């Protein structure tokens, strides 16, 4: 094709595309192998009640430890896992693993500890998703009230009727649902009400923008908190890194927070130790 057009730049362009495709094929092959060889694992990031410092739960976050020892973040492989369908198996593993961890923590005396699990659209759309969820609950013995699924706002917007139906089935099992990265999609008030979710999770971008003087992040966070209140939903902020952000969120009426200020995502043994050291809650600096 490049020859026929007589343009050298076309040839260059094609070769670039080829490299990108090859890179993706390689990544997918490595990811498949990582799944087979148990090189995926979960980290857990605590979630804190902003009123009293109580540790209310944690979000399970997927990690991939490459053979080289390099830690590959989810932003680099979730998309390809979704695209290839591999996310269905990975997601099922994540769900079971996170439920097992929650049960272990409950047995270790951390009663009422909630476990949040991210779920992709491809998982949610899978005809056996509810069965998978039911199986994970039955096999691990987790109290479903202490399991929460995080779906992104943009994902919830894609197929409103279908998603509404799946959420209804999830809720019928007693599992709660949070809308992740909230504020970046375009859900309407009436749609949110129809969705019947439990929690809104303010996107990190708005929390980051809170400290910028004159930034609009603060007013968006405030709007989301107000929205949650009006709809009777709990609100959690993600990406809280500073005392000023936590303090401001608390004053605005935000219920919970998660972020580097409190703790980074940790491996399960580290989490158990961290929790044991904070039986009286996180010492809030305000
Ligand atoms: P998310 O669900 O919005 O998760 C929050 C992300 O923010 C995590 O990145 C977390 O490490 C990061 N984070 C938390 N606190 C702070 C902070 O104070 N400052 C900053 N700069 N970052 C903070 P991570 O673990 O790299 O995950 C990225 C995304 O990958 C997640 O965003 C989620 O969409 C996706 N993901 C992670 N695990 C899974 C999974 O098991 N299944 C699916 N489907 N997606 C997952
Ligand atoms: Mg999340
Ligand atoms: Mg999030
Ligand atoms: Mg986010």
């Amino acid at each position: 094709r490049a020859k026929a057009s007589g343009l050298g730049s076309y040839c260059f362009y094609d070769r670039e595309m080829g490299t990108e495709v090859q890179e993706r094929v390689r990544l997918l092959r490595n990811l498949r192998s990582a799944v087979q060889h148990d090189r995926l694992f979960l980290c857990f990031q605590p979630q804190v009640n902003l009123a009293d410092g109580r540790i209310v739960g944690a979000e399970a976050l997927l990690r991939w430890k490459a053979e080289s020892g390099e830690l590959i973040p989810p932003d680099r492989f979730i998309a390809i896992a979704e695209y290839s369908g591999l996310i269905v198996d990975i997601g099922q593993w994540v769900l079971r693993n996170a439920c097992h961890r929650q049960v272990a923590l409950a047995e270790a005396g951390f009663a009422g500890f909630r476990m949040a699990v991210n779920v992709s659209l491809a998982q949610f759309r899978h005809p056996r998703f509810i069965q998978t969820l039911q199986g994970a609950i039955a096999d691990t013995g987790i109290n479903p009230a202490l399991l929460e699924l995080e779906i992104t706002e943009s994902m919830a917007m894609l197929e409103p009727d279908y998603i509404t139906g799946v959420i209804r089935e999830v809720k019928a099992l007693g599992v709660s649902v949070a809308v992740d990265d909230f504020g970046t999609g375009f859900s309407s008030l009436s749609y949110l009400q129809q969705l019947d979710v439990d929690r809104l999770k303010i996107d990190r971008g708005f929390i980051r923008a809170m400290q910028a003087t004159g930034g609009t992040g603060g007013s968006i966070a405030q709007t989301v908190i107000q929205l949650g209140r009006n709809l009777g939903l709990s609100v959690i902020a993600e990406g809280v890194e500073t005392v000023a952000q936590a303090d401001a969120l608390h004053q605005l009426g935000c219920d919970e927070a998660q972020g580097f200020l409190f703790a980074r995502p940790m491996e399960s043994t580290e989490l158990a130790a961290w929790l044991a050291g904070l039986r009286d809650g996180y010492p809030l600096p305000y």
Side-chain angles (χ1 to χ4, degrees), residues 180-181 203-204 238:
D180 207 349
D181 302 339
D203 189 68
R204 195 167 82 215
E238 69 174 9

PDB file of all heavy atoms in Angstrom, residues 180-181 203-204 238, ligand 4:
ATOM      1  N   ASP A 180     -18.022   4.401  41.079  1.00  0.00           N
ATOM      2  CA  ASP A 180     -16.626   4.817  41.107  1.00  0.00           C
ATOM      3  C   ASP A 180     -16.390   5.984  40.141  1.00  0.00           C
ATOM      4  O   ASP A 180     -17.148   6.168  39.194  1.00  0.00           O
ATOM      5  CB  ASP A 180     -15.769   3.611  40.667  1.00  0.00           C
ATOM      6  CG  ASP A 180     -14.368   3.638  41.222  1.00  0.00           C
ATOM      7  OD1 ASP A 180     -13.955   4.676  41.786  1.00  0.00           O
ATOM      8  OD2 ASP A 180     -13.669   2.619  41.085  1.00  0.00           O
ATOM      9  N   ASP A 181     -15.340   6.732  40.401  1.00  0.00           N
ATOM     10  CA  ASP A 181     -14.931   7.844  39.524  1.00  0.00           C
ATOM     11  C   ASP A 181     -16.111   8.771  39.254  1.00  0.00           C
ATOM     12  O   ASP A 181     -16.296   9.274  38.142  1.00  0.00           O
ATOM     13  CB  ASP A 181     -14.356   7.317  38.195  1.00  0.00           C
ATOM     14  CG  ASP A 181     -13.159   6.406  38.422  1.00  0.00           C
ATOM     15  OD1 ASP A 181     -12.546   6.492  39.501  1.00  0.00           O
ATOM     16  OD2 ASP A 181     -12.837   5.607  37.522  1.00  0.00           O
ATOM     17  N   ASP A 203     -14.442  11.189  42.215  1.00  0.00           N
ATOM     18  CA  ASP A 203     -13.214  10.921  41.465  1.00  0.00           C
ATOM     19  C   ASP A 203     -12.023  11.706  42.020  1.00  0.00           C
ATOM     20  O   ASP A 203     -12.144  12.848  42.447  1.00  0.00           O
ATOM     21  CB  ASP A 203     -13.405  11.272  39.986  1.00  0.00           C
ATOM     22  CG  ASP A 203     -12.220  10.807  39.161  1.00  0.00           C
ATOM     23  OD1 ASP A 203     -12.043   9.587  39.039  1.00  0.00           O
ATOM     24  OD2 ASP A 203     -11.458  11.665  38.682  1.00  0.00           O
ATOM     25  N   ARG A 204     -10.885  11.031  41.993  1.00  0.00           N
ATOM     26  CA  ARG A 204      -9.639  11.580  42.505  1.00  0.00           C
ATOM     27  C   ARG A 204      -9.290  12.941  41.899  1.00  0.00           C
ATOM     28  O   ARG A 204      -8.733  13.804  42.559  1.00  0.00           O
ATOM     29  CB  ARG A 204      -8.518  10.579  42.189  1.00  0.00           C
ATOM     30  CG  ARG A 204      -7.262  10.789  42.923  1.00  0.00           C
ATOM     31  CD  ARG A 204      -6.387   9.561  42.756  1.00  0.00           C
ATOM     32  NE  ARG A 204      -5.649   9.571  41.503  1.00  0.00           N
ATOM     33  CZ  ARG A 204      -5.377   8.460  40.805  1.00  0.00           C
ATOM     34  NH1 ARG A 204      -5.800   7.303  41.216  1.00  0.00           N
ATOM     35  NH2 ARG A 204      -4.687   8.541  39.710  1.00  0.00           N
ATOM     36  N   GLU A 238     -11.971   9.535  46.929  1.00  0.00           N
ATOM     37  CA  GLU A 238     -10.762   8.748  46.651  1.00  0.00           C
ATOM     38  C   GLU A 238      -9.606   9.698  46.379  1.00  0.00           C
ATOM     39  O   GLU A 238      -9.800  10.848  45.993  1.00  0.00           O
ATOM     40  CB  GLU A 238     -10.978   7.792  45.476  1.00  0.00           C
ATOM     41  CG  GLU A 238     -11.116   8.468  44.135  1.00  0.00           C
ATOM     42  CD  GLU A 238     -11.198   7.493  42.948  1.00  0.00           C
ATOM     43  OE1 GLU A 238     -11.320   6.283  43.140  1.00  0.00           O
ATOM     44  OE2 GLU A 238     -11.141   7.994  41.816  1.00  0.00           O
TER      45      GLU A 238
HETATM   46 MG1  LIG B   4     -10.454   6.716  39.905  1.00  0.00          MG
END
